[in-house]
Amino acid sequence: MIGGSGGIGSAAARRLAADGMAVVVHYSGSRERAEEVVASITEAGGLAVAVPGDVADETEMARLFDAAEERFGGIDVVVNTAGIMLLAPLADMALGAFDRMQRVNVRGTFVVSQLAARRLRPGGALVNFSTSVTRLQQPSYGAYAATKGAVEAMTLILARELRGRDITVNAVAPGPTATPLFLDGKSEQLIEQIAAAAPLQRLGTPDDIAEAVAFLAGPGRWINGQVLFANGGIA
């Protein structure tokens, strides 16, 4: 579980553990939160371990995959929720901020996807993360959406490159979801306005997104090379 200490990542880690999977909870700078996720899984009778690493560093990610294989005997599911979102109109976006998103969202997805392609066992699944903003096309999200467009391209092509391996490759594209990343800096009025835009008239929850991940990681074996928009009908 890459990015397993975040709002969506931690919910997905717990959900997969509830399905009986042993989980490696990856974290970058949130050791305490990652260990809390591990503790909640083990207290519920599951198996989990926290492992640090820079998602865009191929050596550190290789060590994470090594740890998963050594601890649990192999890798069947890779879920990559790691990502950052920096917002500004295109004309005002600092190139340094754009480069940061490219490194984490694009290079990080490439590094993890490459390792998954090499190490997933037959019957396995890779689940990357995009965003429903690629459909909504909201102002100030241009640079962020561009990184997620790259994620979608890599995901869909990799699914076809793994022909004959019995490995599925998909992406989940959440809509507005009540995580600290999404809520940070938004007024209550704006949050209510965004929630009202969905036909279900609420924000998504991390558990909503975790259900989509569990489907693609488990029973959804005939879903391959797709982007699943988990957004309550907002787009």
Side-chain angles (χ1 to χ4, degrees), residues 7-9 11-12 129 174-179 202-212 230-232:
I8 291 174
F129 263 70
T177 306
T179 65
R202 66 172 178 85
L203 296 178
T205 69
D207 287 341
D208 290 326
I209 311 305
E211 287 296 328
N231 57 35

Side-chain angles (χ1 to χ4, degrees), residues 188-202:
E188 193 67 32
Q189 182 181 5
L190 178 57
I191 292 170
E192 290 175 1
Q193 179 182 340
I194 294 171
L200 296 177
Q201 296 186 306
R202 66 172 178 85

